[in-house]
Amino acid sequence: MASTTTDHAADIDRHVKVYITVFVALMVLTIVTVAISAVHLPVPIAVTVALLVATIKGSLVACYFMHLISEKKLILWVLAADRRVLHRPAGASRHHAQQRLLDSLMNLRSVHALLILLSAILAVLFGVWCLGQYGRGNGVANLLAAVTAFALSAGLLVYDSWFLRKTRTAAMTSPSASSATRGRARPTASSVSWVDRPAVVGESGGTDRSGLPGLLRGRGGPR
Amino acid sequence: MLFGALFASYILIRTGAPSWPRGDTILNVPLATFNTLVLISSSVTMVMAWASLMRHRFGTFRIYMGATILLGFVFLVVKYFEYSHKFHDGLFPSTNNFLAIYFTLTGLHMLHVAGGMAVNAYFLGPGAKLWKTNPEWFTNRVEHSGLFWHFVDLVWIFLFPTLYLL
């Protein structure tokens, strides 16, 4: 136990170093974006640059402060876990063929994949519209926007196929953590269980579908 | 979702308008830059507060959490001066489309800042009792309130260039 605590402290020390680096980067980028705006570039370029810098800053906050980068596996796990896996103990409805069909369609994985696909189609349509605007002699910005939209659409499609491939098999079969440590965190009321993450795991019960704690361990919690 | 819809409205209103003022001709960029730095700092102190709990240093947590709330307060005070200066100059949400969307977006963002501060204050004050009985839960709750706080920071990171610099 002592050794894990030490590992853990070292882990957090590393995190803190990253936070400081990100902090400095955010400060510098803020100054950069203000400095660029003082130059008074043409509007389309100014918009592109400002939003690019803002996206970089936003990604830094989301990935490091909000820990999304170390939770990638967890997010995939959640998106990949269909309702059959999550609700197995509920039992009753699973014999219903109709219900099962609905379950297989209405899982987060397929909804996510579908929404990404729709976004890609929307981006293509937007790109075509921009091209039309450009064809009518409405400035280079429209051409730029069309190219961006097509690139975005291609990126979304690549992501979608990657996501579907990634979540097909591996995500569900992560090594499980020992149930002994999780037992402690069993919730008294289900309403708090979504606030306190260990309790969610405790609630979902058995060791068979407990990829979650194994994945959480990577980013470390006081458990 | 809420901010996304408003950003979309902003884009539509702006592209539909015959002319659109550059933000810096109306708004105070140095103050907003200062506020951006304040909010980024508060995000760092927030994540440090959580890291302190992970290291079981409750005293450090209190300092960082206090700093987070204080920085949020500074943000609101600066915003108050910005707003009152605008009102003093006779610039109201009803003056034009730019000011309407400016006040809507920043006002809504300020409400989020105030909400985040309230939750953080709860964890610094009465909510901190939980640390003694169940430190794990307390740490996770602080992490979640941190997620909200970072989201508020994230929104500002996009609001700032959109409204002030373009």
Side-chain angles (χ1 to χ4, degrees), chain A residues 157-174:
Chain A
L157 285 177
V158 169
Y159 166 75
D160 215 18
S161 62
W162 172 84
F163 170 75
L164 285 174
R165 227 174 330 115
K166 189 86 181 169
T167 53
R168 191 180 302 150
T169 49
M172 259 77 73
T173 53
S174 302

Side-chain angles (χ1 to χ4, degrees), chain A residues 83-84 93-107 110:
Chain A
R83 289 187 57 192
R84 198 167 44 80
S93 67
R94 78 192 166 103
H95 300 295
H96 249 272
Q98 216 178 358
Q99 182 66 41
R100 273 167 68 183
L101 181 67
L102 198 67
D103 283 357
S104 65
L105 289 176
M106 284 300 294
N107 61 54
S110 46

Side-chain angles (χ1 to χ4, degrees), chain B residues 1 3 8 23 33 40 48 53 56 60 68 73 77 79 92 96-97 99 102 109 113 115 126 131 139-140 150 155:
Chain B
M1 293 285 177
F3 282 103
T33 310
I40 289 173
M48 293 297 278
L53 286 182
H56 303 278
T60 332
T68 307
F73 187 69
V77 167
K79 213 80 202 103
F92 297 100
N96 58 35
N97 272 345
L99 285 169
Y102 163 77
H109 179 259
V113 171
W131 174 253
T139 308
N140 283 332
H150 300 315
V155 169

Side-chain angles (χ1 to χ4, degrees), chain A residues 13 23 37 58 196 198 219-220, chain B residues 22 54-55 137 140 143 154:
Chain A
D13 283 338
F23 172 58
S37 83
D196 302 289
R219 48 185 293 269
Chain B
R22 264 181 71 102
M54 295 288 275
R55 292 158 146 175
W137 284 22
N140 283 332
E143 184 181 6
L154 198 69

Side-chain angles (χ1 to χ4, degrees), chain A residues 69-112:
Chain A
I69 206 159
S70 45
E71 278 174 5
K72 198 173 89 185
K73 282 167 89 179
L74 171 68
I75 292 162
L76 281 177
W77 186 89
V78 170
L79 287 174
D82 67 24
R83 289 187 57 192
R84 198 167 44 80
V85 174
L86 289 173
H87 287 283
R88 197 180 291 161
S93 67
R94 78 192 166 103
H95 300 295
H96 249 272
Q98 216 178 358
Q99 182 66 41
R100 273 167 68 183
L101 181 67
L102 198 67
D103 283 357
S104 65
L105 289 176
M106 284 300 294
N107 61 54
L108 279 171
R109 178 174 178 256
S110 46
V111 169
H112 181 69

Side-chain angles (χ1 to χ4, degrees), chain A residues 8 12-13 16 19 23 26-27 30 33-34 37 40 43 46-47 50 54-55 57-58 61 65-67 71 184-185 192 195-198 219-223, chain B residues 14 22 24 29 33 36-37 40-41 43-44 47-48 50-51 54-56 136-141 143-144 147 150-151 153-154 157-158 160-162 165-166:
Chain A
H8 194 63
I12 293 295
D13 283 338
V16 167
Y19 298 149
F23 172 58
L26 287 172
M27 288 287 178
T30 304
T33 194
V34 174
S37 83
H40 287 254
V43 172
V47 170
T55 308
K57 285 168 72 184
V61 170
F65 291 170
M66 297 166 106
H67 304 127
E71 278 174 5
R184 279 188 298 130
V192 291
V195 178
D196 302 289
R197 206 179 293 120
R219 48 185 293 269
R223 47 189 85 99
Chain B
R14 180 166 182 169
R22 264 181 71 102
D24 55 9
V29 174
T33 310
T36 308
L37 300 180
I40 289 173
S41 310
S43 247
V44 178
V47 84
M48 293 297 278
W50 170 76
M54 295 288 275
R55 292 158 146 175
H56 303 278
E136 272 182 42
W137 284 22
F138 184 67
T139 308
N140 283 332
R141 285 178 186 187
E143 184 181 6
H144 284 90
L147 285 180
H150 300 315
F151 155 75
D153 185 27
L154 198 69
I157 283 175
F158 282 95
F160 170 58
T162 313
L165 301 180
L166 293 176

